[in-house]
Amino acid sequence: MGFPVAHSLSPRLHSHWLAHYGVDGAYVPLCVAPAHLEQALRALPVLGFRGCNLTLPHKEAAMAMVDVVDPVACAVGAINTVIVEEGGLLRGTNTDAFGFLANLRAGVGVLDPYLAHAVVLGAGGAARAVVKALLDAGTQRITLANRTRVTADALANHAGAGVTVVDVVRLPEALGSCSLLVNTTSCGMEGQPSLEVDLTPLPLTALVTDLVYRPLETALLRAARARGNPVVDGLGMLIHQAAPGFAVWFGVMPDVDERVRKALLQA
Ligand code: NAP
């Protein structure tokens, strides 16, 4: 469920796995306006759905609409996966943090060399999941920079010790000691404004990753790769965050391999 939802690659992803594992099921895009979200969620058990994913702008609003919010979703402050339990109870969880870390690990193997100082651009729903993932992974220091300072302050307060905020104009200083740079803003995405970040102060050893996956190689990743930084694109996060939902709804933990990535790239 999203609003809009037509751009989502998730139906292609789940349909690929359904066909691959021979599961008799379906995953369909549902365009649901925010005013109808609760009604639509309550209809899931009645209509025979096993659950759903939630995308923009529903992830935070759904927290107050499901029956049980699991600890991961509480910590992130957003739900991206809903599971219909026995008796029609709705359980909300969040797999974005898992997907983010799984993608980075698939890209670089061991994450430890990159966990000294993470700089996170943006402070929206995706940034909340990224901050939770980075803290879970043992990141020593996280610096947030966001266009709207107050949103970043709220996220830092929610996350607790180890997370600080800088004004965007102070970003160059933060980049000087950065070991992992993450773009969680929608800047750089097709149809969105470009991301304005000067990478000059960034050490060449820093890992650079972008949650935006349309285009797959964003201007940020292209610039980072050109100067020699290791990079990880955002498509893998989409695939990894989807796998736990597929497992609980359809009973098979799907493989996250090159075939599924290829299917999405073709889509
Ligand atoms: P969101 O909650 O709407 O947050 C958007 C963020 O981008 C905010 O920090 C916002 O800053 C910033 N932003 C938007 N326009 C901007 C501009 N013109 N200049 C500077 N900053 C701007 O969205 P979200 O759910 O966090 O998603 C963010 C991006 O991550 C999207 O592109 C989404 O597709 C992607 N994403 C990818 C995955 C994946 O699996 N790869 C998963 C989740 C999200 P303000 O606070 O100032 O508005």
Side-chain angles (χ1 to χ4, degrees):
M1 294 182 190
F3 191 73
V5 80
H7 66 283
S8 173
L9 282 179
S10 294
R12 306 252 186 177
L13 173 56
H14 286 270
S15 298
H16 168 88
W17 281 330
L18 287 167
H20 182 74
Y21 294 103
V23 177
D24 182 15
Y27 182 108
V28 293
L30 298 172
C31 187
V32 176
H36 298 141
L37 180 61
E38 187 152 18
Q39 242 179 317
L41 286 171
R42 286 294 155 201
L44 286 173
V46 183
L47 295 171
F49 281 83
R50 303 292 300 269
C52 70
N53 282 129
L54 296 174
T55 186
L56 279 173
H58 299 321
K59 290 185 181 185
E60 279 146 55
M63 296 278 289
M65 296 176 186
V66 298
D67 300 301
V68 182
V69 181
D70 82 358
V72 183
C74 277
V76 173
I79 291 171
N80 78 337
T81 303
V82 176
I83 297 139
V84 175
E85 306 269 23
E86 287 284 316
L89 216 75
L90 300 178
R91 177 160 63 87
T93 186
N94 192 303
T95 62
D96 279 336
F98 165 83
F100 172 73
L101 281 184
N103 185 38
L104 284 192
R105 290 199 171 106
V108 296
V110 181
L111 270 186
D112 291 359
Y114 305 107
L115 298 180
H117 179 201
V119 174
V120 176
L121 308 176
R128 284 178 169 269
V130 164
V131 167
K132 153 104 178 92
L134 290 174
L135 289 173
D136 285 353
T139 307
Q140 292 154 34
R141 188 176 153 212
I142 300 175
T143 302
L144 298 176
N146 189 46
R147 175 180 62 176
T148 309
R149 165 92 195 208
V150 67
T151 318
D153 286 336
L155 172 49
N157 288 337
H158 178 84
V163 184
T164 53
V165 179
V166 290
D167 286 325
V168 175
V169 289
R170 305 290 298 273
L171 193 56
E173 272 167 55
L175 289 182
S177 60
C178 174
S179 55
L180 170 62
L181 175 62
V182 187
N183 176 41
T184 76
T185 76
S186 43
C187 295
M189 189 174 161
E190 278 167 17
Q192 298 295 319
S194 55
L195 182 69
E196 306 296 339
V197 182
D198 177 6
L199 296 182
T200 309
L202 186 72
L204 289 177
T205 48
L207 174 62
V208 180
T209 187
D210 201 330
L211 267 57
V212 171
Y213 54 82
R214 273 187 174 188
L216 187 62
E217 183 162 81
T218 60
L220 172 69
L221 294 186
R222 197 166 46 249
R225 194 193 298 279
R227 67 198 290 278
N229 289 91
V231 301
V232 173
D233 70 54
L235 188 62
M237 176 176 168
L238 179 81
I239 303 171
H240 282 283
Q241 64 77 33
F246 188 91
V248 71
W249 300 321
F250 298 117
V252 187
M253 187 62 181
D255 273 337
V256 175
D257 55 16
E258 265 313 303
R259 276 171 301 186
V260 66
R261 197 175 154 88
K262 234 180 188 168
L264 284 183
L265 287 173
Q266 276 165 5

